[in-house]
Structures are given as C-alpha cells and as structure tokens.
mmCIF file with all atom_site columns, all heavy atoms in Angstrom:
data_model
loop_
_atom_site.group_PDB
_atom_site.id
_atom_site.type_symbol
_atom_site.label_atom_id
_atom_site.label_alt_id
_atom_site.label_comp_id
_atom_site.label_asym_id
_atom_site.label_entity_id
_atom_site.label_seq_id
_atom_site.pdbx_PDB_ins_code
_atom_site.Cartn_x
_atom_site.Cartn_y
_atom_site.Cartn_z
_atom_site.occupancy
_atom_site.B_iso_or_equiv
_atom_site.pdbx_formal_charge
_atom_site.auth_seq_id
_atom_site.auth_comp_id
_atom_site.auth_asym_id
_atom_site.auth_atom_id
_atom_site.pdbx_PDB_model_num
ATOM 1   N N   . MET P 1 1  ? -125.428 75.662  -35.186 1.00 0.00 ? 1  MET P N   1
ATOM 2   C CA  . MET P 1 1  ? -125.009 77.017  -35.440 1.00 0.00 ? 1  MET P CA  1
ATOM 3   C C   . MET P 1 1  ? -123.514 77.167  -35.196 1.00 0.00 ? 1  MET P C   1
ATOM 4   O O   . MET P 1 1  ? -122.796 77.928  -35.904 1.00 0.00 ? 1  MET P O   1
ATOM 5   C CB  . MET P 1 1  ? -125.748 77.973  -34.561 1.00 0.00 ? 1  MET P CB  1
ATOM 6   C CG  . MET P 1 1  ? -127.283 78.044  -34.945 1.00 0.00 ? 1  MET P CG  1
ATOM 7   S SD  . MET P 1 1  ? -128.222 79.030  -33.715 1.00 0.00 ? 1  MET P SD  1
ATOM 8   C CE  . MET P 1 1  ? -127.452 80.637  -33.917 1.00 0.00 ? 1  MET P CE  1
ATOM 9   N N   . LYS P 1 2  ? -122.985 76.540  -34.160 1.00 0.00 ? 2  LYS P N   1
ATOM 10  C CA  . LYS P 1 2  ? -121.595 76.596  -33.873 1.00 0.00 ? 2  LYS P CA  1
ATOM 11  C C   . LYS P 1 2  ? -120.717 76.055  -34.967 1.00 0.00 ? 2  LYS P C   1
ATOM 12  O O   . LYS P 1 2  ? -119.713 76.621  -35.403 1.00 0.00 ? 2  LYS P O   1
ATOM 13  C CB  . LYS P 1 2  ? -121.296 75.824  -32.561 1.00 0.00 ? 2  LYS P CB  1
ATOM 14  C CG  . LYS P 1 2  ? -119.813 75.753  -32.154 1.00 0.00 ? 2  LYS P CG  1
ATOM 15  C CD  . LYS P 1 2  ? -119.690 75.042  -30.840 1.00 0.00 ? 2  LYS P CD  1
ATOM 16  C CE  . LYS P 1 2  ? -118.292 74.832  -30.431 1.00 0.00 ? 2  LYS P CE  1
ATOM 17  N NZ  . LYS P 1 2  ? -117.509 73.974  -31.331 1.00 0.00 ? 2  LYS P NZ  1
ATOM 18  N N   . VAL P 1 3  ? -121.190 74.862  -35.560 1.00 0.00 ? 3  VAL P N   1
ATOM 19  C CA  . VAL P 1 3  ? -120.447 74.306  -36.633 1.00 0.00 ? 3  VAL P CA  1
ATOM 20  C C   . VAL P 1 3  ? -120.486 75.240  -37.825 1.00 0.00 ? 3  VAL P C   1
ATOM 21  O O   . VAL P 1 3  ? -119.458 75.457  -38.526 1.00 0.00 ? 3  VAL P O   1
ATOM 22  C CB  . VAL P 1 3  ? -121.058 72.929  -36.996 1.00 0.00 ? 3  VAL P CB  1
ATOM 23  C CG1 . VAL P 1 3  ? -120.429 72.392  -38.282 1.00 0.00 ? 3  VAL P CG1 1
ATOM 24  C CG2 . VAL P 1 3  ? -120.819 71.997  -35.881 1.00 0.00 ? 3  VAL P CG2 1
ATOM 25  N N   . ASN P 1 4  ? -121.633 75.905  -38.156 1.00 0.00 ? 4  ASN P N   1
ATOM 26  C CA  . ASN P 1 4  ? -121.721 76.800  -39.292 1.00 0.00 ? 4  ASN P CA  1
ATOM 27  C C   . ASN P 1 4  ? -120.793 78.013  -39.109 1.00 0.00 ? 4  ASN P C   1
ATOM 28  O O   . ASN P 1 4  ? -120.097 78.422  -40.025 1.00 0.00 ? 4  ASN P O   1
ATOM 29  C CB  . ASN P 1 4  ? -123.106 77.263  -39.443 1.00 0.00 ? 4  ASN P CB  1
ATOM 30  C CG  . ASN P 1 4  ? -124.013 76.092  -39.950 1.00 0.00 ? 4  ASN P CG  1
ATOM 31  O OD1 . ASN P 1 4  ? -123.586 75.148  -40.587 1.00 0.00 ? 4  ASN P OD1 1
ATOM 32  N ND2 . ASN P 1 4  ? -125.325 76.175  -39.574 1.00 0.00 ? 4  ASN P ND2 1
ATOM 33  N N   . TYR P 1 5  ? -120.793 78.630  -37.902 1.00 0.00 ? 5  TYR P N   1
ATOM 34  C CA  . TYR P 1 5  ? -119.917 79.722  -37.651 1.00 0.00 ? 5  TYR P CA  1
ATOM 35  C C   . TYR P 1 5  ? -118.456 79.376  -37.736 1.00 0.00 ? 5  TYR P C   1
ATOM 36  O O   . TYR P 1 5  ? -117.632 80.176  -38.184 1.00 0.00 ? 5  TYR P O   1
ATOM 37  C CB  . TYR P 1 5  ? -120.276 80.405  -36.322 1.00 0.00 ? 5  TYR P CB  1
ATOM 38  C CG  . TYR P 1 5  ? -121.444 81.305  -36.398 1.00 0.00 ? 5  TYR P CG  1
ATOM 39  C CD1 . TYR P 1 5  ? -122.612 81.018  -35.727 1.00 0.00 ? 5  TYR P CD1 1
ATOM 40  C CD2 . TYR P 1 5  ? -121.369 82.549  -37.091 1.00 0.00 ? 5  TYR P CD2 1
ATOM 41  C CE1 . TYR P 1 5  ? -123.718 81.839  -35.811 1.00 0.00 ? 5  TYR P CE1 1
ATOM 42  C CE2 . TYR P 1 5  ? -122.409 83.363  -37.128 1.00 0.00 ? 5  TYR P CE2 1
ATOM 43  C CZ  . TYR P 1 5  ? -123.640 83.086  -36.511 1.00 0.00 ? 5  TYR P CZ  1
ATOM 44  O OH  . TYR P 1 5  ? -124.707 83.895  -36.572 1.00 0.00 ? 5  TYR P OH  1
ATOM 45  N N   . GLU P 1 6  ? -118.142 78.210  -37.237 1.00 0.00 ? 6  GLU P N   1
ATOM 46  C CA  . GLU P 1 6  ? -116.711 77.711  -37.380 1.00 0.00 ? 6  GLU P CA  1
ATOM 47  C C   . GLU P 1 6  ? -116.319 77.618  -38.839 1.00 0.00 ? 6  GLU P C   1
ATOM 48  O O   . GLU P 1 6  ? -115.207 77.937  -39.198 1.00 0.00 ? 6  GLU P O   1
ATOM 49  C CB  . GLU P 1 6  ? -116.542 76.382  -36.635 1.00 0.00 ? 6  GLU P CB  1
ATOM 50  C CG  . GLU P 1 6  ? -116.609 76.507  -35.096 1.00 0.00 ? 6  GLU P CG  1
ATOM 51  C CD  . GLU P 1 6  ? -116.530 75.174  -34.411 1.00 0.00 ? 6  GLU P CD  1
ATOM 52  O OE1 . GLU P 1 6  ? -116.683 74.133  -35.138 1.00 0.00 ? 6  GLU P OE1 1
ATOM 53  O OE2 . GLU P 1 6  ? -116.325 75.132  -33.192 1.00 0.00 ? 6  GLU P OE2 1
ATOM 54  N N   . GLN P 1 7  ? -117.255 77.130  -39.636 1.00 0.00 ? 7  GLN P N   1
ATOM 55  C CA  . GLN P 1 7  ? -116.951 76.996  -41.058 1.00 0.00 ? 7  GLN P CA  1
ATOM 56  C C   . GLN P 1 7  ? -116.770 78.356  -41.701 1.00 0.00 ? 7  GLN P C   1
ATOM 57  O O   . GLN P 1 7  ? -115.884 78.591  -42.520 1.00 0.00 ? 7  GLN P O   1
ATOM 58  C CB  . GLN P 1 7  ? -118.058 76.236  -41.798 1.00 0.00 ? 7  GLN P CB  1
ATOM 59  C CG  . GLN P 1 7  ? -118.101 74.742  -41.378 1.00 0.00 ? 7  GLN P CG  1
ATOM 60  C CD  . GLN P 1 7  ? -119.209 73.995  -42.069 1.00 0.00 ? 7  GLN P CD  1
ATOM 61  O OE1 . GLN P 1 7  ? -120.112 74.655  -42.729 1.00 0.00 ? 7  GLN P OE1 1
ATOM 62  N NE2 . GLN P 1 7  ? -119.343 72.668  -41.852 1.00 0.00 ? 7  GLN P NE2 1
ATOM 63  N N   . ILE P 1 8  ? -117.586 79.341  -41.334 1.00 0.00 ? 8  ILE P N   1
ATOM 64  C CA  . ILE P 1 8  ? -117.469 80.713  -41.819 1.00 0.00 ? 8  ILE P CA  1
ATOM 65  C C   . ILE P 1 8  ? -116.140 81.326  -41.434 1.00 0.00 ? 8  ILE P C   1
ATOM 66  O O   . ILE P 1 8  ? -115.421 81.948  -42.244 1.00 0.00 ? 8  ILE P O   1
ATOM 67  C CB  . ILE P 1 8  ? -118.625 81.571  -41.361 1.00 0.00 ? 8  ILE P CB  1
ATOM 68  C CG1 . ILE P 1 8  ? -119.923 81.073  -41.959 1.00 0.00 ? 8  ILE P CG1 1
ATOM 69  C CG2 . ILE P 1 8  ? -118.428 83.047  -41.652 1.00 0.00 ? 8  ILE P CG2 1
ATOM 70  C CD1 . ILE P 1 8  ? -121.154 81.783  -41.384 1.00 0.00 ? 8  ILE P CD1 1
ATOM 71  N N   . VAL P 1 9  ? -115.765 81.162  -40.159 1.00 0.00 ? 9  VAL P N   1
ATOM 72  C CA  . VAL P 1 9  ? -114.502 81.690  -39.666 1.00 0.00 ? 9  VAL P CA  1
ATOM 73  C C   . VAL P 1 9  ? -113.340 81.062  -40.379 1.00 0.00 ? 9  VAL P C   1
ATOM 74  O O   . VAL P 1 9  ? -112.357 81.736  -40.830 1.00 0.00 ? 9  VAL P O   1
ATOM 75  C CB  . VAL P 1 9  ? -114.367 81.486  -38.162 1.00 0.00 ? 9  VAL P CB  1
ATOM 76  C CG1 . VAL P 1 9  ? -112.958 81.883  -37.670 1.00 0.00 ? 9  VAL P CG1 1
ATOM 77  C CG2 . VAL P 1 9  ? -115.433 82.348  -37.414 1.00 0.00 ? 9  VAL P CG2 1
ATOM 78  N N   . LYS P 1 10 ? -113.406 79.756  -40.586 1.00 0.00 ? 10 LYS P N   1
ATOM 79  C CA  . LYS P 1 10 ? -112.345 79.062  -41.296 1.00 0.00 ? 10 LYS P CA  1
ATOM 80  C C   . LYS P 1 10 ? -112.261 79.538  -42.709 1.00 0.00 ? 10 LYS P C   1
ATOM 81  O O   . LYS P 1 10 ? -111.153 79.677  -43.283 1.00 0.00 ? 10 LYS P O   1
ATOM 82  C CB  . LYS P 1 10 ? -112.634 77.557  -41.229 1.00 0.00 ? 10 LYS P CB  1
ATOM 83  C CG  . LYS P 1 10 ? -111.471 76.705  -41.873 1.00 0.00 ? 10 LYS P CG  1
ATOM 84  C CD  . LYS P 1 10 ? -111.758 75.232  -41.668 1.00 0.00 ? 10 LYS P CD  1
ATOM 85  C CE  . LYS P 1 10 ? -110.604 74.362  -42.200 1.00 0.00 ? 10 LYS P CE  1
ATOM 86  N NZ  . LYS P 1 10 ? -110.263 74.667  -43.574 1.00 0.00 ? 10 LYS P NZ  1
ATOM 87  N N   . ALA P 1 11 ? -113.386 79.774  -43.375 1.00 0.00 ? 11 ALA P N   1
ATOM 88  C CA  . ALA P 1 11 ? -113.419 80.262  -44.773 1.00 0.00 ? 11 ALA P CA  1
ATOM 89  C C   . ALA P 1 11 ? -112.746 81.597  -44.808 1.00 0.00 ? 11 ALA P C   1
ATOM 90  O O   . ALA P 1 11 ? -111.954 81.940  -45.760 1.00 0.00 ? 11 ALA P O   1
ATOM 91  C CB  . ALA P 1 11 ? -114.847 80.316  -45.319 1.00 0.00 ? 11 ALA P CB  1
ATOM 92  N N   . HIS P 1 12 ? -112.996 82.538  -43.879 1.00 0.00 ? 12 HIS P N   1
ATOM 93  C CA  . HIS P 1 12 ? -112.386 83.830  -43.867 1.00 0.00 ? 12 HIS P CA  1
ATOM 94  C C   . HIS P 1 12 ? -110.846 83.724  -43.579 1.00 0.00 ? 12 HIS P C   1
ATOM 95  O O   . HIS P 1 12 ? -110.030 84.471  -44.192 1.00 0.00 ? 12 HIS P O   1
ATOM 96  C CB  . HIS P 1 12 ? -113.009 84.722  -42.749 1.00 0.00 ? 12 HIS P CB  1
ATOM 97  C CG  . HIS P 1 12 ? -114.383 85.262  -43.177 1.00 0.00 ? 12 HIS P CG  1
ATOM 98  N ND1 . HIS P 1 12 ? -114.518 86.206  -44.186 1.00 0.00 ? 12 HIS P ND1 1
ATOM 99  C CD2 . HIS P 1 12 ? -115.589 84.989  -42.759 1.00 0.00 ? 12 HIS P CD2 1
ATOM 100 C CE1 . HIS P 1 12 ? -115.789 86.473  -44.340 1.00 0.00 ? 12 HIS P CE1 1
ATOM 101 N NE2 . HIS P 1 12 ? -116.486 85.768  -43.482 1.00 0.00 ? 12 HIS P NE2 1
ATOM 102 N N   . GLN P 1 13 ? -110.540 82.837  -42.773 1.00 0.00 ? 13 GLN P N   1
ATOM 103 C CA  . GLN P 1 13 ? -109.075 82.628  -42.484 1.00 0.00 ? 13 GLN P CA  1
ATOM 104 C C   . GLN P 1 13 ? -108.377 82.096  -43.734 1.00 0.00 ? 13 GLN P C   1
ATOM 105 O O   . GLN P 1 13 ? -107.209 82.479  -43.977 1.00 0.00 ? 13 GLN P O   1
ATOM 106 C CB  . GLN P 1 13 ? -108.891 81.718  -41.313 1.00 0.00 ? 13 GLN P CB  1
ATOM 107 C CG  . GLN P 1 13 ? -109.311 82.321  -40.001 1.00 0.00 ? 13 GLN P CG  1
ATOM 108 C CD  . GLN P 1 13 ? -109.210 81.350  -38.815 1.00 0.00 ? 13 GLN P CD  1
ATOM 109 O OE1 . GLN P 1 13 ? -109.017 80.138  -39.090 1.00 0.00 ? 13 GLN P OE1 1
ATOM 110 N NE2 . GLN P 1 13 ? -109.409 81.812  -37.603 1.00 0.00 ? 13 GLN P NE2 1
ATOM 111 N N   . ASP P 1 14 ? -108.987 81.169  -44.457 1.00 0.00 ? 14 ASP P N   1
ATOM 112 C CA  . ASP P 1 14 ? -108.342 80.601  -45.654 1.00 0.00 ? 14 ASP P CA  1
ATOM 113 C C   . ASP P 1 14 ? -108.330 81.660  -46.799 1.00 0.00 ? 14 ASP P C   1
ATOM 114 O O   . ASP P 1 14 ? -107.437 81.573  -47.620 1.00 0.00 ? 14 ASP P O   1
ATOM 115 C CB  . ASP P 1 14 ? -109.082 79.378  -46.119 1.00 0.00 ? 14 ASP P CB  1
ATOM 116 C CG  . ASP P 1 14 ? -109.003 78.280  -45.084 1.00 0.00 ? 14 ASP P CG  1
ATOM 117 O OD1 . ASP P 1 14 ? -108.104 78.318  -44.238 1.00 0.00 ? 14 ASP P OD1 1
ATOM 118 O OD2 . ASP P 1 14 ? -109.858 77.352  -45.081 1.00 0.00 ? 14 ASP P OD2 1
ATOM 119 N N   . ASN P 1 15 ? -109.261 82.569  -46.889 1.00 0.00 ? 15 ASN P N   1
ATOM 120 C CA  . ASN P 1 15 ? -109.301 83.583  -47.928 1.00 0.00 ? 15 ASN P CA  1
ATOM 121 C C   . ASN P 1 15 ? -109.408 84.989  -47.289 1.00 0.00 ? 15 ASN P C   1
ATOM 122 O O   . ASN P 1 15 ? -110.512 85.564  -47.199 1.00 0.00 ? 15 ASN P O   1
ATOM 123 C CB  . ASN P 1 15 ? -110.512 83.333  -48.843 1.00 0.00 ? 15 ASN P CB  1
ATOM 124 C CG  . ASN P 1 15 ? -110.471 81.978  -49.529 1.00 0.00 ? 15 ASN P CG  1
ATOM 125 O OD1 . ASN P 1 15 ? -109.499 81.615  -50.186 1.00 0.00 ? 15 ASN P OD1 1
ATOM 126 N ND2 . ASN P 1 15 ? -111.512 81.193  -49.355 1.00 0.00 ? 15 ASN P ND2 1
ATOM 127 N N   . PRO P 1 16 ? -108.280 85.494  -46.844 1.00 0.00 ? 16 PRO P N   1
ATOM 128 C CA  . PRO P 1 16 ? -108.343 86.839  -46.182 1.00 0.00 ? 16 PRO P CA  1
ATOM 129 C C   . PRO P 1 16 ? -108.774 87.977  -47.056 1.00 0.00 ? 16 PRO P C   1
ATOM 130 O O   . PRO P 1 16 ? -109.315 89.028  -46.611 1.00 0.00 ? 16 PRO P O   1
ATOM 131 C CB  . PRO P 1 16 ? -106.872 87.027  -45.731 1.00 0.00 ? 16 PRO P CB  1
ATOM 132 C CG  . PRO P 1 16 ? -106.053 86.144  -46.590 1.00 0.00 ? 16 PRO P CG  1
ATOM 133 C CD  . PRO P 1 16 ? -106.921 84.966  -46.957 1.00 0.00 ? 16 PRO P CD  1
ATOM 134 N N   . ASN P 1 17 ? -108.644 87.845  -48.408 1.00 0.00 ? 17 ASN P N   1
ATOM 135 C CA  . ASN P 1 17 ? -109.027 88.957  -49.342 1.00 0.00 ? 17 ASN P CA  1
ATOM 136 C C   . ASN P 1 17 ? -110.478 88.844  -49.711 1.00 0.00 ? 17 ASN P C   1
ATOM 137 O O   . ASN P 1 17 ? -110.985 89.729  -50.484 1.00 0.00 ? 17 ASN P O   1
ATOM 138 C CB  . ASN P 1 17 ? -108.133 88.871  -50.582 1.00 0.00 ? 17 ASN P CB  1
ATOM 139 C CG  . ASN P 1 17 ? -106.670 89.136  -50.261 1.00 0.00 ? 17 ASN P CG  1
ATOM 140 O OD1 . ASN P 1 17 ? -106.402 89.936  -49.355 1.00 0.00 ? 17 ASN P OD1 1
ATOM 141 N ND2 . ASN P 1 17 ? -105.737 88.474  -50.951 1.00 0.00 ? 17 ASN P ND2 1
ATOM 142 N N   . GLU P 1 18 ? -111.177 87.836  -49.257 1.00 0.00 ? 18 GLU P N   1
ATOM 143 C CA  . GLU P 1 18 ? -112.582 87.669  -49.647 1.00 0.00 ? 18 GLU P CA  1
ATOM 144 C C   . GLU P 1 18 ? -113.474 88.818  -49.148 1.00 0.00 ? 18 GLU P C   1
ATOM 145 O O   . GLU P 1 18 ? -114.443 89.205  -49.769 1.00 0.00 ? 18 GLU P O   1
ATOM 146 C CB  . GLU P 1 18 ? -113.106 86.330  -49.158 1.00 0.00 ? 18 GLU P CB  1
ATOM 147 C CG  . GLU P 1 18 ? -114.556 86.013  -49.652 1.00 0.00 ? 18 GLU P CG  1
ATOM 148 C CD  . GLU P 1 18 ? -114.984 84.682  -49.174 1.00 0.00 ? 18 GLU P CD  1
ATOM 149 O OE1 . GLU P 1 18 ? -114.224 83.975  -48.485 1.00 0.00 ? 18 GLU P OE1 1
ATOM 150 O OE2 . GLU P 1 18 ? -116.115 84.283  -49.492 1.00 0.00 ? 18 GLU P OE2 1
ATOM 151 N N   . GLY P 1 19 ? -113.122 89.366  -47.974 1.00 0.00 ? 19 GLY P N   1
ATOM 152 C CA  . GLY P 1 19 ? -113.939 90.379  -47.432 1.00 0.00 ? 19 GLY P CA  1
ATOM 153 C C   . GLY P 1 19 ? -113.924 91.674  -48.207 1.00 0.00 ? 19 GLY P C   1
ATOM 154 O O   . GLY P 1 19 ? -114.842 92.450  -48.047 1.00 0.00 ? 19 GLY P O   1
ATOM 155 N N   . LYS P 1 20 ? -112.977 91.882  -48.962 1.00 0.00 ? 20 LYS P N   1
ATOM 156 C CA  . LYS P 1 20 ? -112.903 93.067  -49.745 1.00 0.00 ? 20 LYS P CA  1
ATOM 157 C C   . LYS P 1 20 ? -114.006 93.211  -50.835 1.00 0.00 ? 20 LYS P C   1
ATOM 158 O O   . LYS P 1 20 ? -114.432 94.285  -51.202 1.00 0.00 ? 20 LYS P O   1
ATOM 159 C CB  . LYS P 1 20 ? -111.594 93.245  -50.417 1.00 0.00 ? 20 LYS P CB  1
ATOM 160 C CG  . LYS P 1 20 ? -110.362 93.290  -49.420 1.00 0.00 ? 20 LYS P CG  1
ATOM 161 C CD  . LYS P 1 20 ? -109.055 93.378  -50.179 1.00 0.00 ? 20 LYS P CD  1
ATOM 162 C CE  . LYS P 1 20 ? -107.866 93.467  -49.231 1.00 0.00 ? 20 LYS P CE  1
ATOM 163 N NZ  . LYS P 1 20 ? -106.587 93.588  -49.878 1.00 0.00 ? 20 LYS P NZ  1
ATOM 164 N N   . ASN P 1 21 ? -114.475 92.072  -51.267 1.00 0.00 ? 21 ASN P N   1
ATOM 165 C CA  . ASN P 1 21 ? -115.506 92.039  -52.292 1.00 0.00 ? 21 ASN P CA  1
ATOM 166 C C   . ASN P 1 21 ? -116.919 91.906  -51.773 1.00 0.00 ? 21 ASN P C   1
ATOM 167 O O   . ASN P 1 21 ? -117.885 91.760  -52.571 1.00 0.00 ? 21 ASN P O   1
ATOM 168 C CB  . ASN P 1 21 ? -115.203 90.842  -53.258 1.00 0.00 ? 21 ASN P CB  1
ATOM 169 C CG  . ASN P 1 21 ? -113.889 90.996  -53.960 1.00 0.00 ? 21 ASN P CG  1
ATOM 170 O OD1 . ASN P 1 21 ? -113.459 92.079  -54.309 1.00 0.00 ? 21 ASN P OD1 1
ATOM 171 N ND2 . ASN P 1 21 ? -113.196 89.867  -54.178 1.00 0.00 ? 21 ASN P ND2 1
ATOM 172 N N   . GLN P 1 22 ? -117.079 92.032  -50.398 1.00 0.00 ? 22 GLN P N   1
ATOM 173 C CA  . GLN P 1 22 ? -118.420 91.913  -49.837 1.00 0.00 ? 22 GLN P CA  1
ATOM 174 C C   . GLN P 1 22 ? -119.228 93.138  -50.112 1.00 0.00 ? 22 GLN P C   1
ATOM 175 O O   . GLN P 1 22 ? -118.663 94.253  -50.247 1.00 0.00 ? 22 GLN P O   1
ATOM 176 C CB  . GLN P 1 22 ? -118.328 91.674  -48.316 1.00 0.00 ? 22 GLN P CB  1
ATOM 177 C CG  . GLN P 1 22 ? -117.775 90.334  -47.995 1.00 0.00 ? 22 GLN P CG  1
ATOM 178 C CD  . GLN P 1 22 ? -117.769 90.078  -46.459 1.00 0.00 ? 22 GLN P CD  1
ATOM 179 O OE1 . GLN P 1 22 ? -117.997 91.068  -45.721 1.00 0.00 ? 22 GLN P OE1 1
ATOM 180 N NE2 . GLN P 1 22 ? -117.405 88.871  -46.024 1.00 0.00 ? 22 GLN P NE2 1
ATOM 181 N N   . VAL P 1 23 ? -120.551 92.942  -50.211 1.00 0.00 ? 23 VAL P N   1
ATOM 182 C CA  . VAL P 1 23 ? -121.428 94.096  -50.463 1.00 0.00 ? 23 VAL P CA  1
ATOM 183 C C   . VAL P 1 23 ? -121.620 94.917  -49.192 1.00 0.00 ? 23 VAL P C   1
ATOM 184 O O   . VAL P 1 23 ? -121.376 94.439  -48.104 1.00 0.00 ? 23 VAL P O   1
ATOM 185 C CB  . VAL P 1 23 ? -122.813 93.599  -50.956 1.00 0.00 ? 23 VAL P CB  1
ATOM 186 C CG1 . VAL P 1 23 ? -122.713 92.827  -52.232 1.00 0.00 ? 23 VAL P CG1 1
ATOM 187 C CG2 . VAL P 1 23 ? -123.435 92.716  -49.882 1.00 0.00 ? 23 VAL P CG2 1
ATOM 188 N N   . SER P 1 24 ? -122.043 96.146  -49.383 1.00 0.00 ? 24 SER P N   1
ATOM 189 C CA  . SER P 1 24 ? -122.162 97.052  -48.228 1.00 0.00 ? 24 SER P CA  1
ATOM 190 C C   . SER P 1 24 ? -123.492 96.710  -47.473 1.00 0.00 ? 24 SER P C   1
ATOM 191 O O   . SER P 1 24 ? -124.374 95.997  -47.964 1.00 0.00 ? 24 SER P O   1
ATOM 192 C CB  . SER P 1 24 ? -122.224 98.490  -48.735 1.00 0.00 ? 24 SER P CB  1
ATOM 193 O OG  . SER P 1 24 ? -123.326 98.709  -49.585 1.00 0.00 ? 24 SER P OG  1
ATOM 194 N N   . ASP P 1 25 ? -123.562 97.313  -46.297 1.00 0.00 ? 25 ASP P N   1
ATOM 195 C CA  . ASP P 1 25 ? -124.746 97.157  -45.481 1.00 0.00 ? 25 ASP P CA  1
ATOM 196 C C   . ASP P 1 25 ? -125.957 97.752  -46.148 1.00 0.00 ? 25 ASP P C   1
ATOM 197 O O   . ASP P 1 25 ? -127.061 97.275  -46.005 1.00 0.00 ? 25 ASP P O   1
ATOM 198 C CB  . ASP P 1 25 ? -124.545 97.778  -44.081 1.00 0.00 ? 25 ASP P CB  1
ATOM 199 C CG  . ASP P 1 25 ? -123.519 97.022  -43.285 1.00 0.00 ? 25 ASP P CG  1
ATOM 200 O OD1 . ASP P 1 25 ? -123.296 95.826  -43.564 1.00 0.00 ? 25 ASP P OD1 1
ATOM 201 O OD2 . ASP P 1 25 ? -122.914 97.658  -42.344 1.00 0.00 ? 25 ASP P OD2 1
ATOM 202 N N   . GLU P 1 26 ? -125.801 98.798  -46.899 1.00 0.00 ? 26 GLU P N   1
ATOM 203 C CA  . GLU P 1 26 ? -126.890 99.492  -47.636 1.00 0.00 ? 26 GLU P CA  1
ATOM 204 C C   . GLU P 1 26 ? -127.513 98.531  -48.624 1.00 0.00 ? 26 GLU P C   1
ATOM 205 O O   . GLU P 1 26 ? -128.772 98.475  -48.763 1.00 0.00 ? 26 GLU P O   1
ATOM 206 C CB  . GLU P 1 26 ? -126.417 100.758 -48.272 1.00 0.00 ? 26 GLU P CB  1
ATOM 207 C CG  . GLU P 1 26 ? -127.497 101.541 -48.983 1.00 0.00 ? 26 GLU P CG  1
ATOM 208 C CD  . GLU P 1 26 ? -126.972 102.804 -49.650 1.00 0.00 ? 26 GLU P CD  1
ATOM 209 O OE1 . GLU P 1 26 ? -125.802 103.055 -49.549 1.00 0.00 ? 26 GLU P OE1 1
ATOM 210 O OE2 . GLU P 1 26 ? -127.839 103.498 -50.272 1.00 0.00 ? 26 GLU P OE2 1
#
C-alpha cells in the first residue's frame, strides 16, 4: 500500500493539472 500511495503522489506531482479533470464525489 505504501508503494502504491507513493506512486499516486508522484503521479500527482508530475501532473499538477490532472486533478482538475477528476470526477466529483457525487
């Protein structure tokens, strides 16, 4: 799980604009 979360954090750091296209909680 630690490795997976590190990969997710690294992916967000490499693509800072990726979060803008995420779907809503609804």
Side-chain angles (χ1 to χ4, degrees):
M1 293 174 63
K2 177 177 176 291
V3 172
N4 291 332
Y5 278 112
E6 287 177 348
Q7 292 177 353
I8 293 174
V9 171
K10 186 175 183 303
H12 282 292
Q13 291 176 350
D14 295 340
N15 300 306
N17 297 325
E18 184 179 359
K20 297 180 181 179
N21 298 325
Q22 291 183 352
V23 297
S24 62
D25 292 338
E26 183 179 0

